[in-house]
Every structure is written in structure tokens, then in C-alpha cells.
Amino acid sequence: ELSKPCVLTTLEIGGYNGKIEIWNAEFGAGATILSSEDKVTWNVIGTIPNGFGSEIKTVNLIGKNAKYLKFTSNSYLGIGYLKVFSN
């Protein structure tokens, strides 16, 4: 949840790199990034790119007014770093 509604433009994302014997930092590549103003209607604004587990990646988002952000995946999702930018 964001402190106030804003238009999201980009985000930086990196995978979780702990417990490498049981966890792959690439878990979540291809996951959908969604935003909402009301937690009822969700808009797809991007996807988590391949390679985010080994280095921080920048994702250009489809600018939508948003107060909430969520990620959906059909598998595990491990985010170790996330920074969201708005205009």
C-alpha cells in the first residue's frame, strides 16, 4: 500500500538471495505486476524480468493511478529488493 495515490512509472527489483541451498533467486521471474486504486479493480502494469535474481533490474511500468501494488505468480516469488518510482 502506498501512502497516497500516484502514477507509477518505474520500479527497481532484485531477487531474494538468502538460503541459496533451498532457494533460487530467480523465483518469480515472469510474475505479473498489478496496481489498483481501490483493491477491487486491478490493472496489469508490467512483469518481473528474467535476470532479476542476479542483479537489480529496472522495469518500465504502464502508468496508471495507483494506491496499491501487488505481484502474482504461479510459483514461488522471492523479492529481496524493491523500489517504486512515481511522477
Side-chain angles (χ1 to χ4, degrees), residues 22-31 48 52 72-79:
I22 61 170
W23 189 264
N24 181 338
E26 285 293 316
F27 284 160
I48 296 177
F52 87 109
T72 60
S73 176
N74 292 330
S75 184
Y76 296 110
L77 177 59
I79 298 172

Side-chain angles (χ1 to χ4, degrees), residues 44-59:
V44 175
I45 59 171
T47 58
I48 296 177
N50 290 327
F52 87 109
S54 58
E55 63 183 65
I56 294 173
K57 296 286 189 173
T58 300
V59 179

Side-chain angles (χ1 to χ4, degrees), residues 5 12 15 18 20 23 27 29 41 44 46 56 61 63-64 70 87:
E12 292 177 349
I20 59 172
W23 189 264
F27 284 160
T41 304
V44 175
I56 294 173
L61 302 173
K64 295 276 186 182
K70 81 175 175 179
N87 61 359

